[in-house]
Amino acid sequence: MTLFALDPRLEADTLAIGNWPLCRVLLMNDARYPWLILVPRRVGLVEIIDLGPSERTMLMEEIARASEVLRAWPGVTKINVGALGNIVGQLHVHVIGRSPSDPAWPGPVWGHSPRRPYAAGEAEG
Amino acid sequence: MTLFALDPRLEADTLAIGNWPLCRVLLMNDARYPWLILVPRRVGLVEIIDLGPSERTMLMEEIARASEVLRAWPGVTKINVGALGNIVGQLHVHVIGRSPSDPAWPGPVWGHSPRRPYAAGEAEG
C-alpha cells in the first residue's frame, strides 16, 4: 500500500493549513499574495482528469471554498485559479487572491519573481 | 432580458468551435499551442464561485472533456488549466496542451509572448 505524500517542493514552499475532505490545504509561503494550494490526497495524480467524476466535483467544491475564503481577504479583487504542474508534477491547484496593487498584476503570479516568505508569526491569526 | 454575449476581446483572439451544455468552446488563435477556452454562457459571471454548485460541476466536466481532447493531441505531455480574468473580466477557463518544446515551457503561457495566428486553413480538420 502506497500512502499519499506531499511533493517535497510543495512542502518546502508552503505552510500546512489542514485537510479538507479531498485535499491537503496549503498556504504558499509568499507574503505578497494570499495564495492557497489544494493537493488531492491520492497517490499518483498528475492531471485533474486522473480523478474520477465524483472526486472532480469534490475538487471543484474545495476550489470554491478556497475562493470564498480569499474573496473575503482585505484588498482582494480577483481570484485566480490554476492547475499547471509543469515543474512540480504532483496534481495541485492554486487559488490566489489578486489585487491591482500586487507585484505581478495583471499577469500570472507563476514564474513572476521569487517568493517573499512570511516573517515569523506573520502567517498566523 | 439580457442575453449572453462573448467579450469582444475573447471573440477577437479565438475561433469558435461550438457550444457544450454550459460553455461556449473557443480555440485560441495561436498556432503554437493547442489551447481551448471555455466560457459559461451566463450573463455577468466573473468568478467560478459566481456559478452555483451544479453549474460548477458542469464546468468541471467540460474542463475534463477539453482536457481529454488535448491529452490526445500529438506532442502534448501536460495539461494546464487556468481561470485568471485579470485582463478580460468575463469568466473563462483556459485548457491548454503543453509540451517541453513549446515556447513558454515550463512557465505559464499567459503573458509570455504575442500569439501567432493560424495560417489560412491551418486550424481546420
Side-chain angles (χ1 to χ4, degrees):
Chain A
M1 179 177 167
T2 305
L3 295 174
F4 169 77
L6 192 59
D7 178 278
R9 178 147 175 178
L10 287 175
E11 186 152 24
D13 290 349
T14 65
L15 306 164
I17 291 183
N19 288 330
W20 287 350
L22 179 65
C23 294
R24 175 78 43 92
V25 184
L26 308 169
L27 175 69
M28 175 65 94
N29 190 4
D30 188 333
R32 303 171 305 166
Y33 313 95
W35 180 342
L36 299 173
I37 298 178
L38 306 177
V39 187
R41 298 192 312 280
R42 301 285 184 272
V43 174
L45 302 177
V46 175
E47 304 288 358
I48 289 172
I49 47 176
D50 294 336
L51 291 166
S54 65
E55 288 179 322
R56 288 198 293 261
T57 297
M58 291 176 73
L59 176 61
M60 178 56 96
E61 289 315 288
E62 296 185 9
I63 290 169
R65 183 175 169 184
S67 299
E68 295 287 4
V69 169
L70 293 175
R71 187 154 68 169
W73 217 273
V76 168
T77 59
K78 187 73 194 72
I79 306 296
N80 287 181
V81 177
L84 288 85
N86 304 336
I87 296 171
V88 172
Q90 183 177 54
L91 177 61
H92 60 288
V93 179
H94 302 268
V95 187
I96 309 159
R98 303 296 308 273
S99 150
S101 63
D102 76 36
W105 184 269
V109 300
W110 309 288
H112 176 266
S113 51
R115 64 189 174 87
R116 181 173 72 70
Y118 287 100
E122 193 184 0
E124 293 168 14
Chain B
M1 182 175 163
T2 307
L3 294 174
F4 170 77
L6 193 59
D7 178 278
R9 177 147 177 179
L10 287 175
E11 186 151 27
D13 290 350
T14 65
L15 306 164
I17 291 184
N19 287 331
W20 287 349
L22 179 65
C23 294
R24 176 77 45 87
V25 184
L26 308 169
L27 176 68
M28 176 63 95
N29 190 5
D30 188 333
R32 303 172 304 167
Y33 314 95
W35 180 341
L36 298 174
I37 298 178
L38 305 177
V39 187
R41 297 193 311 282
R42 300 286 184 271
V43 174
L45 302 177
V46 175
E47 304 288 359
I48 289 173
I49 46 176
D50 295 336
L51 292 166
S54 66
E55 288 179 322
R56 287 199 294 262
T57 297
M58 291 177 74
L59 177 60
M60 178 56 95
E61 289 315 288
E62 295 185 11
I63 290 169
R65 184 174 168 185
S67 299
E68 296 286 5
V69 169
L70 293 176
R71 188 155 66 171
W73 217 274
V76 167
T77 59
K78 187 73 194 72
I79 306 296
N80 286 181
V81 177
L84 288 86
N86 305 337
I87 295 170
V88 171
Q90 184 177 53
L91 177 62
H92 60 288
V93 179
H94 303 268
V95 187
I96 308 158
R98 303 296 309 273
S99 148
S101 63
D102 75 37
W105 184 269
V109 298
W110 308 288
H112 177 267
S113 52
R115 63 190 176 85
R116 182 172 71 72
Y118 288 100
E122 192 183 1
E124 293 168 16

